Amino acid sequence: MSLSSLVTDPLFIMAIGIIVVVGGIIGLKLHPFLALLLGALVVAIMTPAAVIERDALAKGATAAAARQLAGRSIGERIAHEFGNTCGKLGILIAMAAIIGKCMLESGAAEKIVRSLLKLTGIDKAPIAFLAGSFFIGIPVFFDTVLFLMIPLAKAMTMRIGKNYLLFVLAIMAGASMANSLVPPAPGPLFLVSEMHIPIGMMMVGGFLLGLVTISAGYLFARYANRKMPIPLRDSLDARLEDIKSASLKEDTQLPPLWLSLLPVVLPLVFICTKTALTSFPSFHAPDNPSFLHGQLIQLLEFFGDKYIALAAGGLAALLLLARQKKTSKEGMTAFVQTALMSGGAIILITAAGGTFGGMLQQSGISTRIADLTKHYQMALIPLAFLIATVVRTAQGSATVAVITSAGILSGMATHGHLAYHPLYLGLAIGCGSKLVPWMNDAGFWLVCKLSNLTEREALKTIAPMQTVMGIAGLITILIAARLLPLL
């Protein structure tokens, strides 16, 4: 291969792009937003116009549209991809941020956890923490789940006098898997839009796979708790006497369970109902439809739209917060502003990731990978897992790993004529993004500081558990794709 061929090879361009992103984050300590944009710029500069035009034609674009895309300036192509991703995901992530903030401030999230504890009892409290963190981790950001539940784990440990590490690992397992598998978490939302996976299908598939992976994580957590029990420790930011006082808060100060569940359940029900309608054409379009039937279908389709469904969940969360806090209009504005500030950073990182992925797609990477794997398509699933694992281990962020991997493989999901549904590729990316958390991962340090685990203790427990869950998910996906391709 000549030097000119090597420089324009999509695999070489992809390698350089990943080096720029990972090197920027780790070596130069750049914010992921800047590193991803820089990577997109480098990839765009290295990709010849002829390759862009050829790739657009291969994806079904007209000759005129392909020439127009290739003729755009680098800045225009980057801005176009950035805007496309913002348009797809900005509203969804903002609504998810509002739902999470309101559930915390209103006490709804704590009510859900306490209700789970009442359901399972003290002896099965770790299972309640596992299920609670997984369920709450669907609409709430990962770090927020930790802030909410680790203090409860300390309070529970103080009450029963044991199993502190088990509680912490159970919380970590549930929250981390929900964050990478089930919308409206940012990573899965990006997979839904980038790989053209129906959001309802991603919800159901991610939820079912999540149950398998967190079960594997829970078994490891019990093993680790037996082998190296860790005591509850005092600290300046979480004094043991303060924990005890907080655990005595009355249930009457919290909202009812049905109201607490509403911001999460409402969008899930709306979206899944629309998915069910799409899956059963006879109900959607019967032979003799009545006026009432038609109006009902239109109403369900309206609220089943992912943007409307998440907005309905956000409205329910705001009403719940207003009921609990009895705040003024200015107070509600402050809560929403805080939520949008946290969600805004996620939107920027996600949009920059979409830009990086879009530039990689224009380099022809999908066609190149298709040529390498055309004789054995099942190899794409472990390949997706491996790419996500490498990116996560190198730069630390599971969300960035999901975004980067989806950008590389989305062309295969939409134009590769797979022998199975693209859902399986998306789930493989989600599972691969769990490996391997260590010092370059903000979540790793967050768990250490909140739980008072030492770095050595965290490396011996969190990283192996995440690895076990990711591999269990990969094995499950491979079996399901073979036995149930969903085509």
Side-chain angles (χ1 to χ4, degrees), residues 31 114 126 131 133 144 163 296 312 316-317 402 440 448:
H31 190 278
R114 289 192 181 189
S133 63
T144 308
N163 292 340
L296 177 62
V402 168
N440 65 346
C448 285

Side-chain angles (χ1 to χ4, degrees), residues 6 34 139 187 189 204 269 283 321 341 366 403:
L6 174 64
L34 296 176
L189 275 179
V204 174
V269 169
F283 181 78
L321 179 62
M341 286 176 64
S366 299
I403 292 169

Side-chain angles (χ1 to χ4, degrees), residues 417-472:
H417 306 292
L418 297 175
Y420 44 83
H421 198 280
L423 169 70
Y424 293 115
L425 276 185
L427 293 176
I429 289 172
C431 287
S433 71
K434 298 295 93 183
L435 285 68
V436 177
W438 57 294
M439 271 78 165
N440 65 346
D441 177 17
F444 175 89
W445 291 108
L446 190 61
V447 175
C448 285
K449 300 307 177 186
L450 290 177
S451 64
N452 303 120
L453 296 181
T454 66
E455 289 80 6
R456 182 183 296 273
E457 289 168 344
L459 286 172
K460 288 183 176 180
T461 55
I462 295 173
M465 184 184 70
Q466 297 281 81
T467 302
V468 167
M469 290 194 298
I471 293 175

Side-chain angles (χ1 to χ4, degrees), residues 206-384:
F207 182 81
L208 294 176
L209 182 63
L211 294 180
V212 175
T213 55
I214 66 175
S215 297
Y218 180 71
L219 292 176
F220 176 86
R222 291 189 66 88
Y223 166 80
N225 189 61
R226 287 196 305 268
K227 289 296 182 180
M228 51 178 300
I230 295 174
L232 180 61
R233 297 164 181 152
D234 204 355
S235 63
L236 292 176
D237 60 334
R239 298 184 302 169
L240 296 182
E241 57 264 32
D242 293 338
I243 297 171
K244 186 174 182 179
S245 175
S247 67
L248 300 176
K249 193 174 184 179
E250 295 293 334
D251 280 345
T252 55
Q253 298 175 282
L254 302 176
L257 180 60
W258 71 272
L259 274 178
S260 301
L261 290 169
L262 199 60
V264 180
V265 171
L266 201 61
L268 290 176
V269 169
F270 284 156
I271 291 171
C272 290
T273 299
K274 183 178 179 179
T275 301
L277 288 176
T278 306
S279 303
F280 296 99
S282 59
F283 181 78
H284 186 274
D287 295 333
N288 299 304
S290 65
F291 175 78
L292 183 60
H293 182 277
Q295 293 298 310
L296 177 62
I297 293 298
Q298 289 183 15
L299 188 65
L300 292 175
E301 288 183 337
F302 173 77
F303 282 104
D305 178 87
K306 58 187 176 181
Y307 301 102
I308 302 298
L310 264 293
L315 178 61
L318 286 169
L319 292 175
L320 175 60
L321 179 62
R323 177 187 182 274
Q324 291 300 117
K325 294 288 188 180
K326 304 292 192 298
T327 56
S328 62
K329 182 178 179 180
E330 289 76 18
M332 293 296 291
T333 300
F335 281 120
V336 173
Q337 183 174 350
T338 302
L340 294 180
M341 286 176 64
S342 64
I346 301 294
I347 293 174
L348 286 175
I349 293 173
T350 305
T355 307
F356 179 56
M359 295 302 101
L360 283 172
Q361 285 301 306
Q362 292 178 14
S363 74
I365 187 64
S366 299
T367 303
R368 187 75 169 90
I369 293 176
D371 291 339
L372 292 175
T373 59
K374 61 183 177 181
H375 298 299
Y376 185 50
Q377 286 192 349
M378 293 300 289
L380 279 176
I381 291 178
L383 177 63

